[in-house]
Amino acid sequence: MARAALWLLTAAYPLLVYLGLAHAQPRDLALLLAALAALRALARRGRAEARLWWRRAAGAALLAGAAALMNESLPLKLYPVLVNAGLLGLFGVSLWHGPPVVERLARLTEPDLDERGQRYTRRVTQVWCGFFVMNGGIALATAFSADDRVWALYNGLVSYLLIGLLMGGEYLVRLWVRRHDAVRA
């Protein structure tokens, strides 16, 4: 239940910042970012997973500290960029020091993933890397160039819709590939 609440708060972060900026100073909202990141890291169980989340929390703390010191909203608006950069790093590194992230996820349901499945999951991991570059780039552009409403709309809604589209599209492609492979066999 607590983890679900943390995920919901994280997903709502752009909306919370947008609404918060209408009623509070950026330095006050910096606490929200730091607290949310620390709580997410504390909620992690596995050692490697916890280390990753503490690194993310440190990055969020740097942004929160900058927002508090400067009393500017830009560092708060850079958090989605940090998240995309972190995910790009995680997925990208897994391509060189495998197995790729998507293969690890696939092996949760298919432990004996064949070579074709391994190639497919590597390609999907590469697609996600491209997505994180694009999404992070747009998040960066909205942080620097767009007004707060546009920033909140993209980072709090549009980017989630794009994630859903990519996940749904990949699922449909996977079904097609499996059907195509079954016909060949």
Side-chain angles (χ1 to χ4, degrees):
M1 184 68 148
R3 283 180 113 171
L6 283 172
W7 277 107
L8 184 60
L9 280 172
T10 302
Y13 175 81
L15 178 63
L16 295 172
V17 168
Y18 174 70
L19 295 174
L21 287 173
H23 304 289
Q25 296 292 313
R27 70 172 42 101
D28 301 325
L29 295 175
L31 241 130
L32 167 70
L33 175 57
L36 183 59
L39 287 171
R40 294 277 312 263
L42 286 169
R44 299 294 145 201
R45 299 235 190 300
R47 191 179 198 157
E49 187 182 7
R51 260 196 323 262
L52 174 68
W53 281 97
W54 278 112
R55 284 188 204 125
R56 288 183 184 165
L62 285 172
L63 291 175
L69 285 172
M70 300 182 315
N71 199 28
E72 292 286 335
S73 64
L74 179 62
L76 297 173
K77 292 165 62 175
L78 290 174
Y79 182 64
V81 178
L82 177 72
V83 170
N84 278 280
L87 290 169
L88 174 61
L90 176 69
F91 278 60
V93 166
S94 79
L95 290 169
W96 282 275
H97 303 287
V101 169
V102 177
E103 180 181 331
R104 288 183 220 164
L105 294 171
R107 285 186 183 277
L108 294 174
T109 57
E110 290 186 50
D112 298 324
L113 195 63
D114 64 13
E115 188 177 319
R116 186 165 168 81
Q118 290 172 29
R119 282 194 311 274
Y120 178 82
T121 56
R122 172 174 282 284
R123 176 63 64 192
V124 173
T125 301
Q126 292 168 341
V127 168
W128 276 105
C129 286
F131 175 82
F132 296 133
V133 168
M134 182 226 36
N135 196 49
I138 295 171
L140 184 65
T142 61
F144 278 105
S145 303
D147 67 27
D148 291 345
R149 281 188 325 232
V150 171
W151 174 83
L153 179 64
Y154 181 79
N155 292 285
L157 178 64
V158 174
S159 67
Y160 295 125
L161 293 174
L162 292 174
I163 290 167
L165 278 170
L166 181 54
M167 291 173 77
E170 186 279 323
Y171 178 73
L172 292 174
V173 168
R174 187 174 356 129
L175 290 177
W176 182 84
V177 166
R178 283 187 170 169
R179 249 185 265 136
H180 187 261
D181 284 351
V183 170
R184 290 168 109 194

